[in-house]
DNA sequence: AAGAAAGATTAAGATTATATTAACAAAGTA
DNA sequence: TACTTTGTTAATATAATCTTAATCTTTCTT
């Protein structure tokens, strides 16, 4: 459940946006001037705020700067009737993440909100679609434990699954045998075992045989990498 | 130094954007169709990519989706002549972070790029490029273990990689054989070996052959220096 | 300039790393 | 318990890397 703050003095617009967002399952808090916005949105539990630039008293730009100085993570979307380029640039430079000009289509506002939230969540690692890992044409669902490549279901054993998950959580990154041993097995010292090699081989047979692109590559003397 | 990828088939626009961004200190790589975009921007060292939606062959939406599946972090900005709301929504929903309609003002593009990069930096908490070592036109990614010179991928063995990394961590600094032996090999006393000389030679063959500038220079009686 | 020292280059052999297979052990299931 | 599946170890084959040592080239010293 995402909590969105909306600072907008035009009550008609505010109401429409609130209704629309609530239909999408968002929790919306409306304020109608800059001071109130600053006061309310300082709270840490807002996932995103929408600021109108033109408001009585403190304007959106000032609110944005002030919010930014206290909370660098908060996604801020500016909303305004001003359409001139300089206004947009000023808005974005004051710390906003996006800028939308009125009149706007609700659909576009929604898409921009989603883009911002998506990014926020990817970056902070707590994406709501976190259980879906994918790379190239392979995907792994940590809930259903289903693995598919190019749409084709692949059956993996528990260890193979764990190993693939480790690779999918670290794409384009070389994983040393040591690292794999610690994270997919519970080996913290060198036991002289070759389980990892054997399992990489098992995994390759299942996810690469019959497909043209290789996924797991060997870097001799270093480890394995998914790319 | 941020590296930006630009996929745009209109060479006039591409040129203008490139020039403008380069004036701001960005490094810009242009491609002119979707397939090329996918191929080039899959590389791990782009900080942001700009995709035109309408391109010959694979379009921007498809490129965006595919890039997203491999790299969740990469900021993507879509650029297009289509101004309809549905196009914007489709673009944003395919994984883009922002969407700009042509004709646009360069100032706005720049402000939006800066907003995206700012967010990226804030969200990841630290310089996202601290695993990238570089000197002149050579770069080494300590995550993916990829080495490139002037954009060309160079395959190094484990020892060669370790040796290059040592040089890149000590640019413009003379490294004695003793120092190299201790840090890239595990030799702490003089064994009378010439492995280092041999490996510097191997490394030179891979990173200097075919390029005009020398990187590793010999200081007779002292050691080697990267400059 | 000649000889000595330092470094570059090459090739062969030693060493190590990896892929693959099979056998065995452990765990789960009927 | 017997059977099946999964996980682990070990052995082998193959390939790549690393090291050594010999020779060639350049630089330094006298």
């Amino acid at each position: 459940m995402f909590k969105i703050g909306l600072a907008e003095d035009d009550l008609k617009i505010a109401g429409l946006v609130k209704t629309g967002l609530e239909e999408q399952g968002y929790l919306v808090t409306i304020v109608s001037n800059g001071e109130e916005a600053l006061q309310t949105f300082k709270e840490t539990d807002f996932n995103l705020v929408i600021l109108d630039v033109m408001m009585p008293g403190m304007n959106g730009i000032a609110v944005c700067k002030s919010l930014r100085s206290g909370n660098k993570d908060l996604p801020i979307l500016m909303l305004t009737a001003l359409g001139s380029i300089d206004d947009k640039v000023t808005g974005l430079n004051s710390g906003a993440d996006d800028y939308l000009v009125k009149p706007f289509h609700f659909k576009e506002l929604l898409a921009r909100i989603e883009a911002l939230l998506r990014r926020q969540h990817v970056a902070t690692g707590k994406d709501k679609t976190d259980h879906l890992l994918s790379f190239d044409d392979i995907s792994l669902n940590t809930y259903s434990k289903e693995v598919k490549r190019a749409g084709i279901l692949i059956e993996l054993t528990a260890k193979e699954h764990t190993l693939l998950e480790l690779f999918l959580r670290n794409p384009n990154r070389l994983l040393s045998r040591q690292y794999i041993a610690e994270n997919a097995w519970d080996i913290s010292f060198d036991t002289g075992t070759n389980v990892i090699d054997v399992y990489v081989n098992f995994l390759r047979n299942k996810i690469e045989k019959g497909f043209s692109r290789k996924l797991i590559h060997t870097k001799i003397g270093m480890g394995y990498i998914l790319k």
Side-chain angles (χ1 to χ4, degrees), chain A residues 4-22:
Chain A
I4 295 180
L6 171 62
E8 167 65 75
D9 60 322
D10 182 331
L11 293 180
K12 203 175 139 199
I13 294 180
L16 283 171
V17 170
K18 183 179 160 80
T19 311
L21 289 177
E22 281 174 347

Side-chain angles (χ1 to χ4, degrees), chain A residues 166 170 173-185:
Chain A
L166 189 65
N170 298 281
R173 190 161 170 165
L174 185 123
L175 306 182
S176 67
R177 283 182 177 69
Q178 178 66 31
Y179 181 85
I180 296 170
E182 283 169 10
N183 290 280
W185 278 261

Side-chain angles (χ1 to χ4, degrees), chain A residues 14-47:
Chain A
L16 283 171
V17 170
K18 183 179 160 80
T19 311
L21 289 177
E22 281 174 347
E23 267 171 25
Q24 298 295 318
Y26 292 106
L27 236 139
V28 182
T29 305
I30 295 183
V31 298
S32 54
N33 65 64
E35 289 75 13
E36 212 186 324
L38 202 53
Q39 193 62 33
T40 313
F41 301 158
K42 256 198 315 218
E43 320 248 331
T44 51
D45 61 345
F46 280 91
N47 298 106

Side-chain angles (χ1 to χ4, degrees), chain A residues 190-203:
Chain A
D190 184 20
T191 57
T193 178
N194 72 333
V195 237
I196 292 155
D197 300 55
V198 173
Y199 262 85
V200 165
N201 189 38
F202 286 167
L203 196 53

Side-chain angles (χ1 to χ4, degrees), chain A residues 4-180:
Chain A
I4 295 180
L6 171 62
E8 167 65 75
D9 60 322
D10 182 331
L11 293 180
K12 203 175 139 199
I13 294 180
L16 283 171
V17 170
K18 183 179 160 80
T19 311
L21 289 177
E22 281 174 347
E23 267 171 25
Q24 298 295 318
Y26 292 106
L27 236 139
V28 182
T29 305
I30 295 183
V31 298
S32 54
N33 65 64
E35 289 75 13
E36 212 186 324
L38 202 53
Q39 193 62 33
T40 313
F41 301 158
K42 256 198 315 218
E43 320 248 331
T44 51
D45 61 345
F46 280 91
N47 298 106
L48 182 146
V49 304
I50 303 169
L51 302 176
D52 187 20
V53 170
M54 299 271 265
M55 285 184 292
M58 197 177 185
N59 74 13
I61 304 276
V63 175
C64 178
K65 278 187 186 161
S66 182
L67 283 175
R68 232 332 138 255
S69 71
N71 185 351
K72 307 242 183 296
D73 284 343
L74 184 69
I76 299 175
L77 195 156
M78 299 276 251
L79 210 60
T80 185
L82 305 171
S84 92
I85 297 307
D86 283 338
D87 289 322
K88 288 193 190 180
V89 172
T90 310
L92 291 165
N93 285 345
S94 71
D97 295 296
D98 204 346
Y99 197 105
L100 196 53
V101 172
K102 288 195 265 189
F104 55 84
H105 283 73
F106 182 72
K107 269 180 169 178
E108 181 175 0
L109 174 65
L110 188 61
R112 288 195 181 270
I113 287 173
E114 282 169 356
L116 284 174
L117 289 175
R118 190 191 321 130
R119 166 135 305 272
Q120 173 79 350
H121 276 242
V122 165
T124 53
K126 45 187 176 178
D127 195 323
K128 62 177 171 185
T129 60
D130 198 28
H131 62 285
L132 278 173
L133 299 170
S134 70
F135 182 84
D136 202 281
D137 60 350
I138 196 164
S139 67
L140 180 153
N141 185 321
T142 60
Y143 287 177
S144 65
K145 305 285 176 189
E146 265 185 2
V147 170
K148 284 188 194 169
R149 180 155 188 199
I152 300 160
L153 194 69
I154 295 171
E155 298 283 351
L156 296 185
T157 70
K159 269 276 137 64
E160 289 163 357
H161 193 273
T162 307
L163 182 59
L164 178 59
E165 184 175 337
L166 189 65
F167 276 113
L168 287 172
R169 288 192 189 279
N170 298 281
N172 287 312
R173 190 161 170 165
L174 185 123
L175 306 182
S176 67
R177 283 182 177 69
Q178 178 66 31
Y179 181 85
I180 296 170

